[in-house]
Amino acid sequence: MLETKDILETITMIQDENLDIRTVTMGISLLDCIDSDIDKACEKVYNKIITKAQRLVHECEAIEKMYGIPIINKRISVTPIAMLVGACEERNPVKFALALEKAAQTVGVNFIGGYSALVQKGFTEGDRILIESIPEALAKTEHICSSVNIGSTKAGINLDAVKMMGETVKKAAELTKDKNCIGAAKLVVFCNAPEDNPFMAGAFHGVGEADCVINVGVSGPGVVRAALAKSKNLNITEVAELIKRTAFKITRMGQLVAKEASTRLGVPFGIVDLSLAPTPAVGDSVAYILEEMGLECCGCAGTTAALALLNDAVKKGGVMASSKVGGLSGAFIPVTEDAGMIHAAQCGSLTIEKLEAMTAVCSVGLDMINIPGDTTPEVISAIIADEAAIGMINSKTTAVRVIPAIDKKEGDSLSFGGLLGEGPVMRINKGSPAKFINRGGQIPAPLQSLKN
């Protein structure tokens, strides 16, 4: 039974500590929309999405009013579009992007994810064509997000795809230069991509998923930071226990919203993603949690250890609170979306090398990092390869979402607005990895992939 203090505590979390449901994401399979005629396939895609998701925003808004819980984003993820492109006689995948954009506008969601390809072990013709079209698709749409999985622990790393994605990221930024290079901010490159991730830009609806599901992503860095601030003089074991208890409370709210949305929409409940997703709002920051543990500034010595503790405690606390946990589940460290990360990068405490070390223990990877506009595609590819290697060897999801800030240099600032925030253009090592990247081929899977 809920006690008065529990209700008051939740109200405080929502009003003063930025607690919210970051996203309710409806996953929709488009496998039954495959058609050799691309125009018919696009029509099927549009019709299925608006049929399944026509009440998504309305019901989420009703849940917000019912429980007083903010649901920041209402989103859709779909089957990787490369799978549909391969069946079409006309190879113009941007038509699918425009159909998805029209559907997003019709149902009123914030984003649709799934303009994606899975090429960890090689390409189909549909994969190649879709990847080549990504910059144009992102430039011509506002609500479409794209992702490409270029590696996995089981398959190794497709270095040909890594090279292709360095070029794609750079072109996506160039084609949206007049919109602060937003195209690159809606594109993420994965190793070990999960099929049930509700967060953008990496969400897609995996082929192993049901026809339609509801996935929920929670938030709450501000709540964890506030809990630590109120509890002084704890040893590190007690800090971990406090974070676990707090993560449990946050996740229970996510489970409540997920089940309510599932019931209202008549769609199966998929998963709750436990990830602490920060925002540019002051206080709603993963970096501030780490500093509350005792670091002078995020990025200093000890940051990786503190983040490892946080990530582990969040998972341990959250997994007991939900019947189905999935997605990424942990702590995100996007630079431009986290007020504490922004400050740490601006003052020089946080570097891209330290961020790479932190990705070995966080939820995803190098996320929302502005880099100089003259960065070569080969350097971007090498950043992707480094991050994919961490994921492959450690059997975890890693990702890269970097934004080449066209015509800007180290120390300048690039702003996207909203949840994507703003941040400084960070220094990177510009030593050329071109010969390595241009070798092509497949980086072999590690020994730990042989688990059968």
Side-chain angles (χ1 to χ4, degrees), residues 28 46 48-58 74-76 100-112:
I28 302 174
Y46 174 79
K48 182 162 188 182
I49 290 173
I50 63 170
T51 299
K52 293 288 186 182
Q54 61 183 329
R55 293 171 37 239
L56 175 62
V57 173
H58 172 77
K74 296 83 177 174
R75 298 166 170 168
I76 294 169
L100 293 173
E101 177 69 16
K102 182 181 176 183
Q105 293 177 4
T106 300
V107 300
V109 293
N110 304 97
F111 288 111
I112 290 185

Short mmCIF file of all heavy atoms in Angstrom, two decimals, residues 28 46 48-58 74-76 100-112:
data_model
loop_
_atom_site.label_atom_id
_atom_site.label_comp_id
_atom_site.label_asym_id
_atom_site.label_seq_id
_atom_site.Cartn_x
_atom_site.Cartn_y
_atom_site.Cartn_z
N ILE A 28 6.67 -0.99 -34.40
CA ILE A 28 5.75 -1.50 -35.42
C ILE A 28 6.54 -2.29 -36.47
O ILE A 28 7.48 -1.76 -37.08
CB ILE A 28 4.97 -0.36 -36.11
CG1 ILE A 28 4.19 0.46 -35.08
CG2 ILE A 28 4.03 -0.91 -37.18
CD1 ILE A 28 3.53 1.70 -35.66
N TYR A 46 2.75 3.71 -44.69
CA TYR A 46 1.99 4.85 -44.14
C TYR A 46 0.70 4.37 -43.49
O TYR A 46 0.38 4.76 -42.34
CB TYR A 46 1.69 5.85 -45.25
CG TYR A 46 0.79 6.98 -44.82
CD1 TYR A 46 1.28 8.06 -44.09
CD2 TYR A 46 -0.58 6.96 -45.11
CE1 TYR A 46 0.45 9.09 -43.67
CE2 TYR A 46 -1.42 7.98 -44.70
CZ TYR A 46 -0.90 9.04 -43.98
OH TYR A 46 -1.73 10.05 -43.56
N LYS A 48 -0.17 1.40 -42.33
CA LYS A 48 -0.01 0.59 -41.13
C LYS A 48 0.35 1.45 -39.93
O LYS A 48 -0.17 1.26 -38.82
CB LYS A 48 1.04 -0.50 -41.33
CG LYS A 48 1.17 -1.39 -40.08
CD LYS A 48 1.85 -2.70 -40.34
CE LYS A 48 1.76 -3.59 -39.09
NZ LYS A 48 2.45 -4.88 -39.27
N ILE A 49 1.25 2.40 -40.14
CA ILE A 49 1.68 3.25 -39.02
C ILE A 49 0.51 4.07 -38.48
O ILE A 49 0.30 4.13 -37.26
CB ILE A 49 2.84 4.17 -39.45
CG1 ILE A 49 4.11 3.33 -39.67
CG2 ILE A 49 3.11 5.23 -38.37
CD1 ILE A 49 5.26 4.11 -40.25
N ILE A 50 -0.26 4.69 -39.37
CA ILE A 50 -1.35 5.54 -38.85
C ILE A 50 -2.47 4.69 -38.25
O ILE A 50 -3.19 5.15 -37.36
CB ILE A 50 -1.90 6.50 -39.93
CG1 ILE A 50 -2.52 5.75 -41.10
CG2 ILE A 50 -0.80 7.45 -40.41
CD1 ILE A 50 -3.28 6.66 -42.05
N THR A 51 -2.61 3.46 -38.72
CA THR A 51 -3.61 2.57 -38.12
C THR A 51 -3.19 2.16 -36.71
O THR A 51 -3.99 2.22 -35.77
CB THR A 51 -3.81 1.31 -38.99
OG1 THR A 51 -4.29 1.71 -40.27
CG2 THR A 51 -4.82 0.36 -38.35
N LYS A 52 -1.94 1.75 -36.55
CA LYS A 52 -1.46 1.28 -35.25
C LYS A 52 -1.25 2.42 -34.25
O LYS A 52 -1.50 2.26 -33.05
CB LYS A 52 -0.13 0.52 -35.43
CG LYS A 52 -0.24 -0.78 -36.19
CD LYS A 52 -0.94 -1.85 -35.37
CE LYS A 52 -0.91 -3.19 -36.08
NZ LYS A 52 -1.63 -4.24 -35.29
N ALA A 53 -0.80 3.58 -34.74
CA ALA A 53 -0.35 4.64 -33.83
C ALA A 53 -1.27 5.85 -33.79
O ALA A 53 -0.92 6.87 -33.19
CB ALA A 53 1.05 5.10 -34.24
N GLN A 54 -2.45 5.75 -34.38
CA GLN A 54 -3.32 6.92 -34.44
C GLN A 54 -3.73 7.45 -33.07
O GLN A 54 -3.97 8.64 -32.90
CB GLN A 54 -4.57 6.60 -35.27
CG GLN A 54 -5.43 5.47 -34.72
CD GLN A 54 -6.61 5.15 -35.64
OE1 GLN A 54 -7.12 6.03 -36.31
NE2 GLN A 54 -7.03 3.90 -35.67
N ARG A 55 -3.76 6.57 -32.05
CA ARG A 55 -4.17 6.99 -30.71
C ARG A 55 -2.99 7.12 -29.74
O ARG A 55 -3.18 7.39 -28.56
CB ARG A 55 -5.19 5.98 -30.14
CG ARG A 55 -6.52 5.99 -30.88
CD ARG A 55 -7.45 4.85 -30.48
NE ARG A 55 -7.38 4.52 -29.06
CZ ARG A 55 -7.05 3.32 -28.58
NH1 ARG A 55 -6.73 2.34 -29.40
NH2 ARG A 55 -7.03 3.10 -27.28
N LEU A 56 -1.78 6.92 -30.22
CA LEU A 56 -0.61 6.89 -29.35
C LEU A 56 -0.45 8.20 -28.57
O LEU A 56 -0.35 8.19 -27.34
CB LEU A 56 0.66 6.60 -30.16
CG LEU A 56 1.99 6.65 -29.40
CD1 LEU A 56 2.02 5.59 -28.30
CD2 LEU A 56 3.17 6.46 -30.36
N VAL A 57 -0.41 9.31 -29.26
CA VAL A 57 -0.19 10.59 -28.59
C VAL A 57 -1.36 10.92 -27.67
O VAL A 57 -1.16 11.35 -26.53
CB VAL A 57 0.01 11.71 -29.64
CG1 VAL A 57 0.07 13.07 -28.97
CG2 VAL A 57 1.30 11.46 -30.44
N HIS A 58 -2.58 10.70 -28.14
CA HIS A 58 -3.76 11.00 -27.33
C HIS A 58 -3.76 10.21 -26.02
O HIS A 58 -4.01 10.78 -24.94
CB HIS A 58 -5.03 10.68 -28.12
CG HIS A 58 -6.30 10.77 -27.31
ND1 HIS A 58 -6.88 11.97 -26.97
CD2 HIS A 58 -7.06 9.79 -26.74
CE1 HIS A 58 -7.96 11.74 -26.23
NE2 HIS A 58 -8.09 10.44 -26.09
N LYS A 74 6.74 11.05 -27.48
CA LYS A 74 5.94 9.94 -28.01
C LYS A 74 6.55 9.59 -29.36
O LYS A 74 6.60 10.42 -30.27
CB LYS A 74 4.47 10.32 -28.17
CG LYS A 74 3.76 10.66 -26.84
CD LYS A 74 3.99 12.10 -26.42
CE LYS A 74 3.24 12.45 -25.13
NZ LYS A 74 3.58 13.82 -24.65
N ARG A 75 7.01 8.36 -29.49
CA ARG A 75 7.82 7.99 -30.65
C ARG A 75 7.38 6.67 -31.25
O ARG A 75 6.63 5.91 -30.64
CB ARG A 75 9.29 7.88 -30.22
CG ARG A 75 9.89 9.17 -29.69
CD ARG A 75 11.20 8.92 -28.99
NE ARG A 75 11.93 10.15 -28.67
CZ ARG A 75 12.98 10.22 -27.88
NH1 ARG A 75 13.43 9.12 -27.29
NH2 ARG A 75 13.59 11.36 -27.66
N ILE A 76 7.90 6.41 -32.44
CA ILE A 76 7.62 5.15 -33.14
C ILE A 76 8.95 4.59 -33.63
O ILE A 76 9.83 5.34 -34.08
CB ILE A 76 6.69 5.38 -34.35
CG1 ILE A 76 5.29 5.81 -33.87
CG2 ILE A 76 6.57 4.12 -35.21
CD1 ILE A 76 4.39 6.30 -34.98
N LEU A 100 7.47 7.84 -44.10
CA LEU A 100 7.59 7.84 -42.64
C LEU A 100 7.37 9.25 -42.09
O LEU A 100 6.71 9.43 -41.06
CB LEU A 100 8.96 7.32 -42.22
CG LEU A 100 9.27 5.85 -42.50
CD1 LEU A 100 10.73 5.54 -42.19
CD2 LEU A 100 8.36 4.92 -41.71
N GLU A 101 7.91 10.25 -42.76
CA GLU A 101 7.74 11.64 -42.33
C GLU A 101 6.26 12.04 -42.36
O GLU A 101 5.76 12.66 -41.41
CB GLU A 101 8.55 12.57 -43.24
CG GLU A 101 8.39 14.05 -42.94
CD GLU A 101 9.02 14.48 -41.63
OE1 GLU A 101 9.85 13.72 -41.08
OE2 GLU A 101 8.70 15.58 -41.14
N LYS A 102 5.59 11.66 -43.42
CA LYS A 102 4.16 11.96 -43.52
C LYS A 102 3.38 11.28 -42.40
O LYS A 102 2.48 11.88 -41.79
CB LYS A 102 3.63 11.51 -44.89
CG LYS A 102 2.16 11.82 -45.13
CD LYS A 102 1.71 11.32 -46.50
CE LYS A 102 0.21 11.55 -46.71
NZ LYS A 102 -0.23 10.99 -48.02
N ALA A 103 3.73 10.04 -42.10
CA ALA A 103 3.07 9.30 -41.02
C ALA A 103 3.33 9.97 -39.67
O ALA A 103 2.42 10.09 -38.83
CB ALA A 103 3.53 7.85 -40.99
N ALA A 104 4.57 10.40 -39.44
CA ALA A 104 4.91 11.06 -38.18
C ALA A 104 4.09 12.33 -38.00
O ALA A 104 3.59 12.62 -36.90
CB ALA A 104 6.40 11.41 -38.15
N GLN A 105 3.93 13.11 -39.05
CA GLN A 105 3.15 14.33 -38.98
C GLN A 105 1.67 14.04 -38.75
O GLN A 105 0.99 14.75 -38.00
CB GLN A 105 3.35 15.15 -40.25
CG GLN A 105 4.76 15.69 -40.41
CD GLN A 105 4.96 16.44 -41.72
OE1 GLN A 105 4.01 16.62 -42.49
NE2 GLN A 105 6.18 16.87 -42.00
N THR A 106 1.19 12.96 -39.36
CA THR A 106 -0.23 12.61 -39.23
C THR A 106 -0.58 12.20 -37.80
O THR A 106 -1.59 12.64 -37.26
CB THR A 106 -0.59 11.47 -40.20
OG1 THR A 106 -0.34 11.89 -41.54
CG2 THR A 106 -2.07 11.09 -40.07
N VAL A 107 0.26 11.38 -37.18
CA VAL A 107 -0.07 10.88 -35.84
C VAL A 107 0.49 11.78 -34.73
O VAL A 107 0.16 11.61 -33.56
CB VAL A 107 0.40 9.43 -35.65
CG1 VAL A 107 -0.26 8.51 -36.66
CG2 VAL A 107 1.92 9.31 -35.74
N GLY A 108 1.38 12.72 -35.09
CA GLY A 108 1.85 13.71 -34.12
C GLY A 108 2.98 13.27 -33.21
O GLY A 108 3.16 13.87 -32.15
N VAL A 109 3.77 12.26 -33.62
CA VAL A 109 4.88 11.82 -32.77
C VAL A 109 6.09 12.72 -32.95
O VAL A 109 6.20 13.47 -33.93
CB VAL A 109 5.27 10.35 -33.07
CG1 VAL A 109 4.16 9.41 -32.66
CG2 VAL A 109 5.65 10.17 -34.53
N ASN A 110 7.02 12.63 -31.99
CA ASN A 110 8.24 13.45 -32.05
C ASN A 110 9.23 12.93 -33.08
O ASN A 110 9.85 13.70 -33.81
CB ASN A 110 8.92 13.50 -30.68
CG ASN A 110 7.99 14.02 -29.60
OD1 ASN A 110 7.39 13.23 -28.87
ND2 ASN A 110 7.85 15.33 -29.50
N PHE A 111 9.41 11.60 -33.11
CA PHE A 111 10.37 10.99 -34.03
C PHE A 111 9.89 9.61 -34.45
O PHE A 111 9.15 8.94 -33.72
CB PHE A 111 11.75 10.84 -33.38
CG PHE A 111 12.50 12.12 -33.19
CD1 PHE A 111 12.71 12.62 -31.92
CD2 PHE A 111 13.02 12.82 -34.27
CE1 PHE A 111 13.41 13.81 -31.72
CE2 PHE A 111 13.71 14.00 -34.09
CZ PHE A 111 13.91 14.50 -32.82
N ILE A 112 10.34 9.18 -35.64
CA ILE A 112 10.24 7.79 -36.07
C ILE A 112 11.66 7.29 -36.32
O ILE A 112 12.41 7.87 -37.11
CB ILE A 112 9.39 7.62 -37.34
CG1 ILE A 112 7.92 7.90 -37.05
CG2 ILE A 112 9.55 6.20 -37.90
CD1 ILE A 112 6.99 7.64 -38.22
#
